[in-house]
Amino acid sequence: MNLGNCPRCGKLFANNFRDICPACIKEIEEEYERCLKYLREEKTATIQEVHEATDVSIKQITKFIKEGRISVANNPNMMYPCEVCGTMIREGNMCDSCRSRLTRDLAAAANEEKLRSNDKEGRQGGSGAYNAIDKFRSP
């Protein structure tokens, strides 16, 4: 039997498929039910309003949305924060701005790496353990 501490409450428990204790699983389900009940009554509620009305953390509500348990399609004002900058979004983990910046940064890093590898190939000596010279490569 594998024992572990619940990351949510810290109590010792027998590990299960969710890696949190049964008491916390029950509490999360109760939080979900409170959110669902509130959203049935207030379809135009924002995540902040749900948080204030139910005392469920924004982080937990966001998790429900990402798990597909709370639908943003049925709740037009339901948005959650971008994981990078905090801008409110309706899908994914990042807003378009952060996604574009990440793509740009990755492309720049790839180009930089390509230039570095081309620079190494252009030198006379090799870059291996013995620093061998390729005599057969044309200049």
Side-chain angles (χ1 to χ4, degrees), residues 79-130:
M79 298 166 64
Y80 54 92
C82 167
E83 290 182 3
V84 179
C85 70
T87 299
M88 299 307 275
I89 57 176
R90 289 183 55 83
E91 63 184 2
N93 295 323
M94 286 186 267
C95 65
D96 291 337
S97 173
C98 290
R99 191 177 303 113
S100 296
R101 187 173 53 245
L102 178 62
T103 302
R104 226 180 14 256
D105 291 349
L106 285 172
N111 284 338
E112 189 176 305
E113 182 62 31
K114 186 177 178 184
L115 288 174
R116 244 188 267 132
S117 69
N118 286 343
D119 184 42
K120 285 181 181 179
E121 289 176 7
R123 288 191 231 142
Q124 270 304 60
S127 61
Y130 297 106

Side-chain angles (χ1 to χ4, degrees), residues 9-21:
C9 69
K11 292 180 183 173
L12 188 65
F13 75 105
N15 278 341
N16 56 34
F17 66 98
R18 292 204 47 198
D19 291 330
I20 59 174
C21 72

Side-chain angles (χ1 to χ4, degrees), residues 1 3 9 15 25 50 70 76 92 97 102 121 128 131 135 137:
M1 175 185 293
L3 296 177
C9 69
N15 278 341
I25 290 173
V50 175
I70 292 178
S97 173
L102 178 62
E121 289 176 7
N131 223 8
K135 294 180 181 178
R137 185 171 46 174

Side-chain angles (χ1 to χ4, degrees), residues 27-52:
E27 186 179 327
I28 289 170
E29 290 308 311
E30 289 170 356
E31 289 176 346
Y32 172 67
E33 290 299 325
R34 285 198 313 264
C35 290
L36 214 55
K37 182 180 178 196
Y38 182 76
L39 285 169
R40 282 187 191 122
E41 297 166 3
E42 302 291 332
K43 293 212 178 281
T44 59
T46 65
I47 196 167
Q48 186 67 36
E49 292 168 344
V50 175
H51 161 67
E52 290 169 1

